[in-house]
């Protein structure tokens, strides 16, 4: 029987912190402590780093290893297309390559599959393409792990991809995860562009970056003025602008007490640790933004059956990419905003790919939130622990919170079947 027990505190934090921020690393010390941030600070840039194509191809080789069959989780976005196209060109003559895709309808009513087919046909890339609809349920559940649930937006869809890869005889499933976080063009780059004598790019840059919580003009002005204040105030300014939902410390009213208070205290301590880290190591809002885009980031374990590999999150590739001067993530010469903000990914594409690439990012928010109906939410095991309040079952929860409750409930159900105990 397992000797480990599951604390209600940990279950409560899985339901709150990841639901707000997205993902967290498996080594985060949930029990708190003076310094909760475990990821390294952002390093100084290296002006000699201009593109990352050779490093990316090396990362692909490490991901493939000695696998005879390799699959790529292909969404139709630039990141997975970069992995798929380069994999076929570099390894297709000696490996069996399969593209596995979940057909999803974006918020504009368009499917993602024509983009995948268009690239394969346009470049003459030969591979097996296997597609299933998002509504299909997998034959099995995402692989259970004692460290906790996967905490991704679509765990069942990712299990479907794994099953498709396994049926195709693949030994590894590659993804495009991490490219947005590592290579996407972020906010607060005005000063870096000016210092790099790229002032001509500012008009397009401001138009392309809309500002998530505040107007772009306000954010960029604050970035320019931030050098006039203390390092601590600069760090606090950044968090107030970019993470206001955490700085307000949401009430988590779907939790019962004392877990609501525990979640609030943990979030408050986490914000304090971020202020200390940014104050000590990061002199600009742009560096803070780059760090926060990538960290904390959970590199998802396999959903089962085949090993999972993320070339963009390969340790060597990440270390090299972090040295890229931040202003080089944005290239005003490209004709589309999507490409300009993903210029480093565009530069990874093989010759001739541009004519067949999507020119706008597809958004699937409705497809994701529709996977769980808050009005039909049930979570017997979590309810029995006393963690959830009656508010969780009123039917008006944020769909992403409801999705997280379903994920943690599924993980807890398996844990209990394996003989784990829930303790205080």
């Amino acid at each position: 029987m397992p000797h480990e027990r599951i604390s209600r505190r940990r279950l409560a934090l899985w339901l709150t912190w990841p639901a707000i921020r997205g993902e967290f690393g498996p080594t985060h010390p949930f029990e708190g402590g003076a310094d909760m941030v475990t990821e390294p600070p952002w390093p100084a840039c290296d002006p000699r780093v201009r593109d990352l194509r050779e490093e990316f191809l090396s990362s692909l080789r490490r991901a493939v290893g000695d696998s005879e069959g390799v699959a790529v989780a292909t969404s139709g976005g630039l990141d997975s297309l970069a992995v798929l196209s380069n994999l076929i060109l570099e390894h297709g003559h000696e490996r069996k390559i399969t593209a596995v895709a979940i057909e999803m309808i974006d918020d504009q009513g368009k499917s993602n599959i024509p983009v995948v087919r268009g690239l394969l046909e346009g470049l003459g890339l030969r591979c097996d393409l296997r597609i299933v609809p998002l509504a299909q349920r997998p034959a099995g559940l995402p692989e259970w792990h004692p460290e906790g649930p996967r905490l991704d937006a679509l765990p069942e869809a990712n299990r479907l991809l794994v099953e498709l890869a396994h049926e195709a005889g693949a030994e590894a499933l590659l993804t495009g995860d991490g490219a947005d976080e590592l290579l996407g063009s972020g906010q607060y780059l005005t000063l870096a562009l000016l210092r790099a004598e790229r002032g001509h790019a500012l008009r397009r840059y401001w138009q392309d970056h809309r500002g998530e919580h505040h107007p772009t003009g306000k954010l960029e002005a604050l970035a320019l003025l931030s050098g006039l204040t203390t390092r601590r105030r600069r760090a606090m300014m950044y968090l107030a602008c970019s993470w206001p939902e955490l700085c307000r410390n949401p009430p988590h009213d779907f939790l019962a007490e004392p877990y609501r208070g525990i979640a609030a205290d943990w979030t408050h301590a986490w914000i304090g640790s971020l202020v200390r880290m940014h104050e000590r190591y990061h002199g600009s809002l742009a560096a803070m933004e780059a760090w926060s885009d990538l960290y904390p980031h959970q590199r998802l374990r396999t959903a089962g059956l085949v090993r999972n590999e993320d070339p963009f999150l390969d340790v060597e590739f990440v270390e090299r990419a972090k040295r890229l001067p931040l202003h080089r993530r944005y290239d005003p010469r490209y004709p589309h905003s999507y490409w300009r903000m993903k210029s480093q990914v565009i530069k990874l594409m093989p010759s001739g790919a541009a004519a067949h690439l999507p020119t706008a990012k597809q958004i699937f928010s409705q497809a994701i939130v529709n996977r769980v109906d808050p009005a039909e939410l049930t979570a017997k095991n979590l309810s029995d622990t006393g963690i959830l309040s009656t508010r969780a079952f009123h039917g008006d929860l944020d769909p992403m919170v409801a999705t997280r409750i379903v994920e943690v409930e599924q993980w807890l159900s398996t844990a209990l079947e394996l003989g784990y105990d829930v303790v205080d």
Side-chain angles (χ1 to χ4, degrees):
M1 296 292 290
H3 66 276
E4 288 195 38
R5 297 177 177 180
I6 306 163
S7 74
R8 290 181 175 85
R9 172 193 172 97
R10 184 174 291 258
L11 289 169
L13 291 174
W14 280 335
L15 290 169
T16 53
W17 174 253
I20 298 166
R21 180 62 184 104
E23 298 174 346
F24 60 90
T27 59
H28 276 198
F30 273 117
E31 304 310 314
D35 293 299
M36 301 169 71
V37 176
T38 61
E39 293 87 355
W42 205 257
C45 69
D46 183 345
R48 296 170 296 180
V49 181
R50 292 186 170 275
D51 65 69
L52 300 160
R53 181 165 176 75
E54 289 305 315
E55 289 86 352
F56 183 66
L57 294 179
S58 296
S59 177
L60 273 181
R61 286 192 288 271
R62 289 190 290 271
V64 169
D66 58 1
S67 302
E68 294 184 5
V70 185
V72 179
T74 310
S75 66
L78 292 175
D79 307 332
S80 60
L81 292 176
V83 175
L84 178 63
S85 57
N86 282 293
L87 180 69
I88 295 172
L89 291 173
E90 294 290 315
H91 302 279
H93 61 287
E94 57 187 15
R95 323 272 178 166
K96 180 185 177 184
I97 309 298
T98 304
V100 294
I102 304 291
E103 182 167 25
M104 298 173 65
I105 305 302
D106 68 15
D107 292 356
Q108 304 300 315
K110 297 180 180 179
S111 167
N112 59 325
I113 297 303
V115 175
V116 180
R117 293 191 188 278
L119 181 75
L120 293 174
E121 295 169 4
L123 291 181
L125 300 176
R126 302 175 64 87
C127 76
D128 185 17
L129 176 59
R130 301 192 176 206
I131 305 165
V132 293
L134 180 62
Q136 183 169 323
R137 297 294 178 180
L141 295 174
E143 188 172 90
W144 189 89
H145 195 281
E147 284 186 5
R150 281 172 52 97
L151 299 175
D152 53 324
L154 294 170
E156 288 189 342
N158 285 314
R159 172 68 189 197
L160 265 177
L161 291 173
V162 164
E163 291 177 359
L164 288 177
H166 183 66
E167 291 168 5
E171 300 163 61
L173 176 64
L174 277 56
T175 81
D177 289 357
D180 259 342
E181 294 84 354
L182 182 63
L183 298 178
S185 172
Q187 200 75 63
Y188 309 117
L189 292 181
T190 293
L191 183 59
L193 289 167
L194 289 172
R195 286 174 171 170
E197 299 182 352
R198 295 179 63 188
H200 61 280
L202 286 177
R203 183 177 179 180
R204 272 194 162 179
Y205 170 78
W206 280 41
Q207 290 173 340
D208 291 340
H209 294 74
R210 296 296 182 180
E212 185 176 355
H213 301 288
H214 303 280
T216 297
K218 178 179 180 179
L219 294 175
E220 296 299 323
L222 286 173
L224 289 171
L225 295 172
S226 65
L228 302 178
T229 189
T230 65
R231 295 182 69 91
R232 182 169 181 79
R233 286 187 177 275
R234 187 181 309 142
M236 295 174 70
M237 180 191 302
Y238 166 73
L239 291 170
C241 289
S242 294
W243 290 29
E245 73 280 15
L246 285 181
C247 293
R248 287 192 295 267
N249 209 345
H252 312 307
D253 57 0
F254 57 91
L255 291 179
E257 290 292 5
Y259 306 104
R260 190 181 308 170
I262 288 172
D265 291 345
W266 196 93
T267 303
H268 179 76
W270 171 256
I271 288 292
S273 73
L274 283 179
V275 169
R276 291 190 295 273
M277 187 270 296
H278 287 316
E279 175 187 5
R280 181 174 181 180
Y281 295 108
H282 299 142
S284 71
L285 271 61
M288 297 178 199
E289 180 84 339
W291 188 96
S292 295
D293 283 344
L294 184 61
Y295 300 120
H297 190 84
Q298 180 193 26
R299 187 168 183 176
L300 295 173
R301 297 178 297 272
T302 178
L305 301 175
V306 300
R307 63 184 173 89
N308 192 88
E309 296 289 348
D310 310 305
F312 286 107
L313 294 175
D314 171 85
V315 173
E316 292 184 39
F317 182 76
V318 168
E319 289 308 307
R320 182 65 170 171
K322 290 195 315 188
R323 295 287 183 177
L324 179 80
L326 294 176
H327 70 270
R328 289 183 182 153
R329 294 187 182 188
Y330 181 79
D331 193 332
R333 295 172 294 180
Y334 287 111
H336 310 289
S337 174
Y338 185 34
W339 292 12
R340 293 192 288 269
M341 297 174 70
K342 300 274 291 184
S343 64
Q344 286 297 326
V345 176
I346 293 288
K347 290 168 184 174
L348 300 179
M349 297 291 181
S351 176
H356 311 286
L357 295 175
T359 58
K361 184 178 180 66
Q362 286 187 287
I363 306 298
F364 302 98
S365 59
Q366 287 304 309
I368 293 173
V369 300
N370 288 343
R371 295 282 287 179
V372 174
D373 183 355
E376 299 180 2
L377 180 66
T378 58
K380 180 183 183 304
N381 293 308
L382 283 172
S383 296
D384 289 347
T385 65
I387 292 172
L388 295 179
S389 71
T390 56
R391 166 74 177 80
F393 303 100
H394 283 177
D396 57 350
L397 270 186
D398 182 312
M400 293 305 292
V401 174
T403 299
R404 189 54 46 84
I405 290 174
V406 171
E407 294 170 1
V408 178
E409 170 72 13
Q410 187 180 83
W411 181 88
L412 177 59
S413 176
T414 302
L416 294 174
E417 290 174 3
L418 292 172
Y420 281 70
D421 296 320
V422 178
V423 298
D424 287 325

